[in-house]
Amino acid sequence: MTLIELKNLHREYKQGSKTIHAVDGIDLKVSKGDYLVIFGSSGSGKSTLLQLIGGLERPSKGSVFIDGKNIAEISESKLTKLRGHKVGFVFQHYNLIPTLSALQNVEAAIINRSDQDKEKAKKALKMVGLGNRVNHLPSLLSGGEQQRVAIARALINEPDIILADEPTGNLDTKTGEEIADILKRLNKENNQTIILITHSEYNRKYASRVMSIKDGKLQEEMK
Amino acid sequence: MFYLSYLKNELVRRIGKTITISLGLAIASAIIIVIISTSQSLSSTQETVLNPLENVGTDILVTRTVDLEDGGKDMAAGYDYLRENIVTTDLSQYGNAGDTFVRDVFLSGSLLSFPTEEATDLDKSLVDDYALGLILNVTHQEGEIPEIVSEIETGGEELFIGGQEIEIVGEVIDIGTEIAPMTYEEEEAMSEVKGNVRKEIQERGLDPKSPEGRIIMMDAINEAMPERFKGTEGTIITDSRMMRTEDRTITTDKQIIRTEIDTPETNIQTENFTVAGVDITKENIGLVLPDQVVEGEFISESNQVVVSTSYASSEEINIADTITLSETEYSVVGIVEPKLYTNTADIYLELAELQRISEREDNINIMLVKSADAFSVEDVSSQLDGLFTGAQVTDSSDTADKVTGSLVDAASLTDKFVGLTSIIVMIAAFIIITLLTVLSINKRTREIGTLKAIGWSNKTVVRQILMENIVLGVIGALVGIGMGLLAIVALNNFDISFSAEFASSGIETMGNKWFGMGEETTPSSTSFNLQVTYTYTTLLIGSLIAIAGAIIAGTIAAFKSSRMRPSEALRHLE
């Protein structure tokens, strides 16, 4: 079952008089439950691709279908809703709100608020193995711990898709593998679709599908 | 509620930003509170100063003032002016040379006396109430009577009249004695006499216009004049048709003037002060009122006086001290803060008592009138104008014109600049607060991008930013009110004083100017300590300014945040 479909996707940036083709005619189908790892060096267009899939940016040309709906054509407020319900983001720099505790950072992402928010957030933190340091500020947590909080935040609304932009890029291999393990577990247990972009080779072993991006063009690789 | 904990965390965990912005707002609101309060307090002080009449329960003053510049048109006033301001320099009348003497000379200055009965003939339907007063300048002297005295005999000189030297017959001049003009019959008789004498002279072969003829004519006229024109009492014939001829008879006072020649060094001490007689039967209207007593009590008996705060402090007078005026002892029963700034005095006593010791029985020189209502002020004024010759009517607009000094300057200055300063402070504060807020929101670009990436709508982001700023504004407002109140207390502790000078409406120290005796009396000047008071409206304005500033800055910041792209969250920048 195709969850995500990209058709002739283009994204161009003007940089002075030059036009940069960050994403240059990509076609891609991702099925529900895929664990897609995309390798690419910096400047290859991998972040732009992720932004287009997640509805953070709009394409210059082409379409992005999520669940059969072209998100390139929907309004900003619908896009916001889509981000909240369907997509969870994990960032290289964790992007936690510095003034909020681990628990509050997770709580911040809850879309349908209720009295159970705290319990829900605690549960999500437990799921990523961070049950006891929930009231610490991000600055008091290690990189791995911060990324666990970010993953908990990404899965709090039970999204179909988790988009991870270099989630292990700032972590040592051991910690990075722990994070990758968590993502793999979510993929397996919750059947959540994961698209992870990286240049760390060890991610290859978790993937169900591997691709590489270069000069805005995508290429399937053998696993 | 999550949004509130987020708000609280933002303010508490970014305490530096919170303090900077709310302090900025607080300072602006405090400055505005202080500016507005100071200006309002100055204006209200100025109002009481500019309308001193209201302070003493009146709206019109009646005086009799001589215009020294009018070239002596008002002859009667001119004579009274001289009479009321004479200080004899002949000290020998107080004893022998070497004896000590004490004297108090009461001078009216240019506030001439007028009979009480003339002034009180008022239309009762127009006048609500009135009070009588007498304000005199006292020259107090004591010391040794000096030795060197010269005697000059005057009077009886020969004067040239009509080009002819004539020996003067009279002895005493009584300037100002009014002589009824000649009746028609008397004039007829006089011209008949003149005609007869002219004929007689011509019959004797003389020219009536020759010196000899004139003398014959003069003698005959003097003989034929009604008795009251004859120079037995000393007379200036002024109001007679005889003046149309060149013939005049002038007799000068035959008197002896004794004076010191080149006043020798003596130990004579001279002091000048003002003393006022108060109508103590009136409680709500008068030169000084019982509610202006700041210490002790008001005058209730003729042997009591109250003194003004300024005189009490300069002369170190305390309650229960004794003051001697014209050999009468008075006990000081109170200290007063007189509010009729244009006519203050140093010492106040009962009117009848001052009339007695100054030999001005049944005379006053100032009357305070309260008209029946505001609309009748004009009618009353015009009625008062006609009460007696030289009546001078002063109302509150006249007194306002007489006030000058730093208080008036400061008040008009603040009137001009309070709006401008407030606007400058407000604009400066808004700019600084907006810059700080925008700066802090720019620092949170990634945070806001992240919130949007994880599903926060623009509306939620804007609401969060605005709420943060409103809370900053409220904190700023509360701190601002506190700082403003503290500043007002500090200002009031600083003893900032303003002076107001009042052009005197009469009392001058002519005696001193003429005779060079002693110091001048205190000029009519009052100083007011700046007493800043605030109103709840002012505090409200100040706090609204802080909140408005925060909301404006917050709106700009919120607008900026709404423009931020969620993709900022993925920027690989720290």
Side-chain angles (χ1 to χ4, degrees), chain B residues 408-419:
Chain B
V408 180
D409 299 341
S412 69
L413 197 74
T414 52
D415 276 352
K416 275 182 210 150
F417 290 109
V418 67

Side-chain angles (χ1 to χ4, degrees), chain B residues 107-108 111 133-137 275-277 287 343-345 365-366 507:
Chain B
L107 307 169
S108 291
L111 268 185
L134 182 61
I135 305 176
L136 298 171
N137 199 41
V275 53
L287 293 176
N343 297 79
T344 54
N365 64 3
I366 187 163
I507 287 287

Side-chain angles (χ1 to χ4, degrees), chain B residues 291-548:
Chain B
D291 66 13
Q292 289 161 6
V293 172
V294 291
E295 205 187 324
E297 33 189 88
F298 198 61
I299 315 155
S300 55
E301 283 172 42
S302 64
N303 62 350
Q304 296 176 335
V305 294
V306 292
V307 296
S308 74
T309 46
S310 57
Y311 191 66
S313 72
S314 71
E315 301 297 312
E316 293 172 2
I317 295 169
N318 295 309
I319 287 176
D321 283 0
T322 299
I323 287 178
T324 305
L325 282 172
S326 269
E327 296 165 14
T328 315
E329 288 193 345
Y330 299 92
S331 78
V332 177
V333 293
I335 312 284
V336 288
E337 178 87 59
K339 300 279 191 212
L340 181 61
Y341 304 115
T342 48
N343 297 79
T344 54
D346 298 321
I347 301 169
Y348 294 84
L349 69 161
E350 197 199 5
L351 174 62
E353 186 62 17
L354 180 60
Q355 285 172 330
R356 184 183 69 78
I357 59 174
S358 65
E359 293 170 357
R360 282 169 174 83
E361 274 94 351
D362 299 323
N363 271 269
I364 55 171
N365 64 3
I366 187 163
M367 181 166 66
L368 292 78
V369 180
K370 172 82 182 153
S371 57
D373 54 67
F375 304 107
S376 62
V377 171
E378 223 166 286
D379 293 340
V380 180
S381 292
S382 66
Q383 199 201 16
L384 294 171
D385 255 331
L387 272 184
F388 52 87
T389 322
Q392 173 118 356
V393 179
T394 311
D395 62 26
S396 47
S397 64
D398 302 325
T399 54
D401 292 343
K402 287 181 178 171
V403 187
T404 53
S406 61
L407 177 71
V408 180
D409 299 341
S412 69
L413 197 74
T414 52
D415 276 352
K416 275 182 210 150
F417 290 109
V418 67
L420 191 65
T421 327
S422 303
I423 288 169
I424 290 171
V425 169
M426 259 163 60
I427 290 173
F430 283 177
I431 289 172
I432 292 168
I433 299 307
T434 305
L435 283 178
L436 284 172
T437 312
V438 168
L439 216 73
S440 93
I441 214 72
N442 281 344
K443 277 169 119 180
R444 289 165 72 189
T445 301
R446 222 169 72 139
E447 177 178 331
I448 287 159
T450 304
L451 289 172
K452 287 183 176 183
I454 62 173
W456 279 46
S457 66
N458 259 338
K459 209 181 90 189
T460 315
V461 172
V462 164
R463 188 187 64 194
Q464 193 69 25
I465 303 292
L466 264 179
M467 258 166 38
E468 283 175 17
N469 275 276
I470 288 170
V471 172
L472 287 174
V474 170
I475 296 172
L478 294 177
V479 176
I481 288 175
M483 285 168 64
L485 293 180
L486 277 179
I488 287 172
V489 170
L491 269 179
N492 287 341
N493 272 333
F494 254 124
D495 270 354
I496 299 169
S497 68
F498 290 94
S499 69
E501 273 118 49
F502 304 94
S504 152
S505 42
I507 287 287
E508 283 167 23
T509 55
M510 288 308 283
N512 314 314
K513 284 179 194 157
W514 287 351
F515 299 102
M517 294 188 298
E519 82 253 51
E520 297 275 310
T521 45
T522 342
S524 184
S525 157
T526 311
S527 86
F528 298 87
N529 264 347
L530 179 63
Q531 198 58 42
V532 181
T533 54
Y534 60 89
T535 62
Y536 290 115
T537 317
T538 311
L539 299 184
L540 190 70
I541 290 171
S543 48
L544 285 182
I545 279 164
I547 293 169

Side-chain angles (χ1 to χ4, degrees), chain A residues 141-194:
Chain A
L141 299 174
S142 71
E145 285 170 329
Q146 288 192 55
Q147 198 57 297
R148 282 164 201 257
V149 176
I151 293 169
R153 180 175 69 183
L155 57 87
I156 191 76
N157 292 314
E158 296 167 2
D160 295 335
I161 307 160
I162 290 179
L163 300 175
D165 180 18
E166 298 257 24
T168 58
N170 276 17
L171 303 171
D172 58 64
T173 308
K174 189 176 167 283
T175 316
E177 285 185 339
E178 281 169 25
I179 295 298
D181 279 338
I182 293 170
L183 291 174
K184 185 66 197 171
R185 206 173 74 226
L186 294 174
N187 174 243
K188 259 191 186 158
E189 289 173 6
N190 301 347
N191 198 27
Q192 283 170 313
T193 308
I194 297 188

Side-chain angles (χ1 to χ4, degrees), chain B residues 82-196:
Chain B
L82 297 180
R83 191 171 51 77
E84 290 212 63
N85 288 293
I86 281 174
V87 181
T88 179
T89 51
D90 178 8
L91 295 175
S92 69
Q93 68 192 73
Y94 299 102
N96 298 320
D99 290 353
T100 54
F101 76 102
V102 180
R103 64 167 180 172
D104 287 307
V105 186
F106 294 87
L107 307 169
S108 291
S110 57
L111 268 185
L112 300 183
S113 306
F114 48 90
T116 310
E117 57 180 36
E118 273 185 32
T120 52
D121 184 20
L122 294 166
D123 182 345
K124 299 293 184 288
S125 69
L126 292 174
V127 172
D128 186 41
D129 202 359
Y130 65 87
L132 309 173
L134 182 61
I135 305 176
L136 298 171
N137 199 41
V138 180
T139 294
H140 173 91
Q141 284 189 308
E142 55 184 281
E144 243 171 63
I145 297 166
E147 187 124 20
I148 310 158
V149 168
S150 78
E151 283 189 13
I152 303 163
E153 200 172 343
T154 68
E157 297 102 334
E158 291 184 349
L159 297 181
F160 288 90
I161 290 183
Q164 185 65 45
E165 193 177 299
I166 300 170
E167 191 177 345
I168 301 303
V169 289
E171 269 192 318
V172 180
I173 227 172
D174 184 358
I175 296 169
T177 298
E178 281 183 31
I179 301 160
M182 283 193 196
T183 61
Y184 179 74
E185 288 76 19
E186 286 169 338
E187 279 182 19
E188 287 290 290
M190 283 299 290
S191 45
E192 203 184 322
V193 170
K194 279 196 216 168
N196 291 341

Side-chain angles (χ1 to χ4, degrees), chain A residues 23 58 69 84 87 122 137 147 181 183 189 202 223:
Chain A
V23 170
R58 286 172 186 273
K69 202 179 279 171
V87 185
K122 267 183 194 158
L137 284 181
Q147 198 57 297
D181 279 338
L183 291 174
E189 289 173 6
Y202 62 81
K223 186 169 175 314

